[in-house]
Amino acid sequence: MSEFEKNVLSMLETINIKLDTLIKSEGAKKNVSVSTSSTSSKTIKPSNIVEKQEEEEKLEAKPIIEGRRICPNCNGTAFNTVEDKSQVLHQMGGIKIYAKKYICKSCGFEL
Ligand SMILES: [Zn+2]
């Protein structure tokens, strides 16, 4: 074996060792990134579900506002919207937001 070939072999060996450490560190990095991405996707998913639930709640709430509220007493659909001052939903800067009460125009039934 010539001196050149020995040099090349030793160089290849050092390259091999460096590649091994690189691959190992890359693998470690990948493992870390995989675990973080899986945890981040886990954190994203519940919020997506919450957003979907909130959207569904909005979708469910809208038709009621649009007048599909039906009086359980007389099946009337016409209501007066009144602020229920006994129920404060939210208070901010001295402004109170009261719960809404729906009073049937036909029979006076309170929803
Ligand atoms: Zn009614």
Side-chain angles (χ1 to χ4, degrees):
M1 208 181 267
S2 73
E3 196 67 25
F4 173 73
E5 280 175 325
K6 279 183 185 174
N7 276 338
V8 168
L9 270 178
S10 70
M11 272 174 75
L12 282 174
E13 266 177 16
T14 48
I15 287 167
N16 246 341
I17 291 160
K18 282 193 175 179
L19 276 175
D20 268 359
T21 52
L22 272 174
I23 289 163
K24 276 174 191 170
S25 65
E26 272 296 301
K29 276 181 198 169
K30 274 178 188 170
N31 281 341
V32 168
S33 66
V34 163
S35 63
T36 49
S37 68
S38 67
T39 48
S40 64
S41 68
K42 273 177 191 171
T43 53
I44 287 165
K45 275 177 185 173
S47 64
N48 280 345
I49 291 164
V50 168
E51 277 174 38
K52 276 182 184 175
Q53 280 176 341
E54 280 174 352
E55 278 175 35
E56 280 170 19
E57 278 171 23
K58 280 175 194 170
L59 287 172
E60 281 174 25
K62 266 186 182 176
I64 292 167
I65 295 163
E66 284 165 8
R68 284 194 205 173
R69 195 178 289 272
I70 295 165
C71 175
N73 194 40
C74 71
N75 291 328
T77 52
F79 291 89
N80 286 320
T81 309
V82 180
E83 281 183 341
D84 185 359
K85 302 219 170 177
S86 64
Q87 285 186 71
V88 179
L89 285 182
H90 188 68
Q91 190 170 0
M92 198 171 72
I95 297 162
K96 286 177 181 176
I97 293 160
Y98 298 103
K100 290 269 164 67
K101 239 179 1 185
Y102 297 89
I103 297 165
C104 178
K105 282 182 180 178
S106 309
C107 70
F109 190 90
E110 281 183 25
L111 285 178

